[in-house]
């Protein structure tokens, strides 16, 4: 973590600037921001970014391997398999914790915490970057983007991916963002910016109907055929819904004449299920419970995670033998033990040190040989959990982003 821009930001910070930052984020859609925004970006060395990308490159090589589909076929739960061509994961998301080398204080390294073949806050983050740049005196030579991208080129690659290369007029009603009760989701501000930037409406699962193999939704009294689905629906959430919603969701497992972005099966193929299949210095030791003959004696150094959960639900940070005993042996294949990632209190804030993780955003257009890194988000915490919902009553924590650069670029 870079000290010079960190100290400069803290010195220049005041509450008025932070409120200006928030007001700019909220201005377009009052009441839609439903999670805490951290006061600060995270200033990260480009060398740290390169370490994260090396691990991502390794994972991508495994995803592209000829046997990856066979290795991950059991990842898809019974009754959740969606028909149709899976193609490629159009979105790949990698979450890294910022850790410190105990033998070399001040030397930080990334450790992969989770990954997903599923979209994230692509549109919202573009707005957040602009709001921060307008409210704060951010240092020159730093960028939230990766690989030479900027705001406009990210919008272009996302627009072509979401709408199709021949529909760049932001007026294509045949692409929808699919979610369950989108107006109630904490990430709804991203849905609104997705429509603002790309003209893609958020449509609730309960609004769609099937005629033959085609799907439709209704707007202004007219039935509109759905050709492309930007899928933001977490299928795990359906387990807790009423029977009529579950019945509606069953439509999605049938043969459909739609193109998925990305196909729902990738949510499971590229997930916690994949971690035990990987071996890389940037990935902590991870095993299925079913792979253990005897469990580690130092369980306190592991995290117990259910494969099928979202936003940290069901995760146990400080594992005990009793926690393992509560898992039925028949369900051992649905849980992983992951060696604990010790987040470093690396971010100096006016009211104490914060920990952080960085999420790298990759997209994989149909005309690209490999996924492309474009930008990022970050999340700051002062507790054991990093999710923004776990830090509601603290300051200098919450959703943010990394700015990549060097001490020299700051001085320039």
């Amino acid at each position: 973590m870079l000290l010079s821009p960190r100290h400069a930001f803290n010195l220049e910070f005041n509450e008025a600037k932070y409120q200006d930052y928030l007001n700019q984020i909220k201005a377009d859609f009052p009441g839609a921001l439903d999670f805490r925004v951290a006061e600060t970006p995270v200033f990260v060395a480009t060398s740290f970014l390169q370490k994260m990308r090396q691990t991502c490159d390794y994972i991508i090589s495994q995803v592209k391997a000829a046997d990856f589909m066979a290795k991950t076929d059991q990842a898809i739960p019974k009754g959740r398999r969606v028909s149709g061509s899976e193609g490629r994961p159009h979105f790949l998301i990698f979450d890294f914790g910022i850790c410190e080398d105990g033998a070399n204080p001040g030397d930080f390294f990334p450790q992969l915490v989770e990954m997903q073949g599923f979209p994230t806050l692509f549109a919202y983050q573009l707005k957040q970057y602009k709001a921060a740049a307008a409210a704060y005196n951010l240092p020159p030579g730093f960028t939230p983007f990766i690989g030479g991208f900027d705001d406009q080129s990210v919008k272009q690659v996302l627009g072509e991916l979401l709408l199709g290369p021949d529909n760049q007029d932001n007026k294509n009603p045949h692409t929808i963002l699919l979610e369950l009760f989108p107006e109630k989701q904490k990430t709804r501000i991203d849905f609104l910016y997705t429509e603002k930037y790309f003209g893609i409406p958020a449509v609730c699962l309960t609004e769609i109907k099937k005629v033959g193999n085609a799907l439709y939704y209704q707007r202004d009294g007219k039935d509109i055929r759905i050709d492309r689905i930007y899928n933001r629906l977490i299928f795990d959430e359906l387990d807790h819904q009423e029977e009529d919603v579950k019945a509606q969701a069953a439509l999605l497992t049938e043969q459909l004449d739609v193109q998925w972005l990305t196909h729902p099966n990738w949510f499971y193929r590229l997930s916690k299920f994949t971690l035990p299949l990987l071996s890389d210095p940037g990935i902590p030791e991870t095993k299925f419970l079913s792979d253990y003959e005897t469990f580690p004696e130092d369980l306190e150094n592991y995290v117990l995670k259910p494969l099928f959960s979202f936003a940290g639900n069901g995760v146990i940070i400080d594992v005990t033998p009793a926690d393992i005993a509560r898992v039925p042996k028949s369900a051992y294949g649905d849980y992983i033990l992951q060696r604990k990632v010790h987040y470093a209190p690396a971010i100096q804030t006016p009211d104490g040190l914060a920990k952080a993780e960085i999420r790298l955003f990759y997209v994989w257009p149909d005309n690209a040989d490999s996924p492309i890194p474009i930008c990022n988000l970050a999340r700051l915490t002062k507790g054991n959990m990093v999710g923004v919902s776990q830090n509601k009553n603290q300051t200098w924590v919450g959703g943010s982003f990394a700015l990549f650069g060097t001490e020299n670029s700051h001085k320039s």
Side-chain angles (χ1 to χ4, degrees):
M1 302 305 102
L2 299 176
L3 296 180
S4 180
R6 171 83 275 139
H7 291 158
F9 183 92
N10 289 0
L11 187 64
E12 295 175 6
F13 176 84
N14 60 57
E15 188 64 23
K17 291 180 180 179
Y18 177 55
Q19 290 305 317
D20 182 24
Y21 176 30
L22 294 180
N23 289 338
Q24 293 197 49
I25 293 174
K26 298 175 182 179
D28 290 323
F29 304 108
L33 183 64
D34 197 19
F35 50 83
R36 193 177 197 285
V37 176
E39 285 80 346
T40 180
V42 182
F43 300 99
V44 177
T46 52
S47 58
F48 190 91
L49 171 62
Q50 287 306 113
K51 292 177 182 178
M52 291 190 287
R53 290 188 62 180
Q54 287 171 4
T55 297
C56 294
D57 288 344
Y58 161 73
I59 297 170
I60 289 168
S61 73
Q62 301 304 300
V63 174
K64 294 173 68 175
D67 61 350
F68 182 80
M69 299 298 281
K71 283 183 176 180
T72 59
D73 211 44
Q74 293 182 355
I76 305 168
K78 185 178 180 180
R80 293 282 176 79
R81 188 180 296 272
V82 173
S83 62
S85 173
E86 294 183 29
R88 59 182 56 180
H90 295 98
F91 309 99
L92 299 92
I93 306 302
F94 303 98
D95 291 344
F96 289 90
I98 299 174
C99 306
E100 187 172 22
D101 185 344
N104 299 288
D107 185 9
F108 298 100
F109 64 95
Q111 285 285 280
L112 184 76
V113 180
E114 290 201 23
M115 60 184 175
Q116 58 188 50
F118 190 77
T120 188
L121 306 177
F122 285 99
Y124 165 75
Q125 284 302 133
L126 295 176
K127 175 62 178 182
Q128 187 177 29
Y129 302 154
K130 281 192 169 183
Y136 295 132
N137 180 29
L138 297 178
F142 282 77
T143 178
F145 300 103
I146 306 171
F149 277 90
D150 60 18
D151 179 85
Q152 289 305 311
S153 55
V154 166
K155 285 180 179 176
Q156 181 176 349
V157 73
L158 283 174
E160 290 180 357
L161 180 56
L162 295 173
L163 296 169
D166 300 323
N167 293 287
Q168 296 305 296
D169 58 2
N170 284 5
K171 297 178 181 178
N172 179 9
H174 303 289
T175 298
I176 67 162
L177 184 157
L178 181 64
E179 180 51 289
L180 180 64
F181 310 127
E183 72 283 356
K184 297 180 181 179
Q185 298 294 333
K186 284 187 175 296
T187 52
R188 62 185 178 274
I189 192 169
D190 180 66
F191 308 158
L192 294 167
Y193 275 110
T194 298
E195 183 164 15
K196 178 180 175 67
Y197 293 153
F198 306 110
I200 298 173
V203 175
C204 182
L205 170 66
T206 61
E207 296 181 74
I208 65 173
K209 65 179 181 179
K210 182 171 179 280
V211 179
N213 289 341
L215 292 180
Y216 294 83
Y217 71 104
Q218 193 172 86
R219 287 292 184 272
D220 300 323
K222 297 180 180 178
D223 286 339
I224 302 174
R225 177 164 175 162
I226 301 168
D227 293 329
R228 299 163 71 86
I229 296 177
Y230 178 32
N231 184 47
R232 301 295 293 271
L233 179 66
I234 303 293
F235 278 56
D236 294 352
E237 294 184 355
L238 299 174
D239 290 340
H240 310 291
Q241 303 304 316
E242 299 294 333
E243 290 304 317
D244 59 335
V245 175
K246 293 180 181 179
Q248 183 78 350
L251 295 176
L252 302 180
T253 64
E254 300 175 8
Q255 193 70 38
L256 300 172
D257 291 334
V258 297
Q259 181 175 1
W260 291 95
L261 301 159
T262 192
H263 194 284
N265 292 351
W266 281 105
F267 178 79
Y268 299 105
R269 290 190 184 275
L270 193 61
S271 65
K272 300 182 190 73
F273 180 92
T274 321
L275 292 173
L277 310 179
L278 305 173
S279 178
D280 181 84
I283 303 174
E285 172 198 331
T286 308
K287 291 184 179 182
F288 296 106
L289 289 190
S290 55
D291 287 342
Y292 286 95
E293 293 184 4
T294 58
F295 292 107
E297 293 184 2
D298 60 336
L299 281 173
E300 69 276 7
N301 290 320
Y302 289 81
V303 178
L304 179 64
K305 297 181 178 181
L307 290 180
F308 311 119
S309 69
F310 188 67
N313 293 325
V315 174
I316 298 176
I317 298 293
D318 299 310
V319 185
T320 68
D323 295 319
I324 302 293
R326 278 191 284 270
V327 179
K329 289 188 177 181
S330 60
Y332 272 16
D334 295 333
Y335 285 79
I336 58 172
L337 266 184
Q338 184 181 61
R339 182 164 284 279
K340 189 176 291 185
V341 173
H342 294 283
Y343 288 70
I347 315 302
Q348 297 178 349
T349 79
D351 59 359
L353 294 171
K355 307 169 189 175
E357 71 178 25
I358 299 171
R359 171 175 292 183
L360 298 187
F361 297 7
Y362 280 69
V363 295
W364 197 351
D366 289 327
N367 61 356
D369 292 334
S370 290
I372 303 166
I374 55 174
C375 52
N376 82 94
L377 65 74
R379 295 186 291 183
L380 282 74
T381 184
K382 291 179 180 174
N384 289 330
M385 297 288 283
V386 179
V388 291
S389 61
Q390 279 85 30
N391 291 272
K392 291 182 177 179
N393 299 319
Q394 300 183 21
T395 57
W396 293 76
V397 297
S400 185
F401 58 93
L403 284 173
F404 303 114
T406 67
E407 293 284 5
N408 289 334
S409 64
H410 171 65
K411 292 175 183 177
S412 66

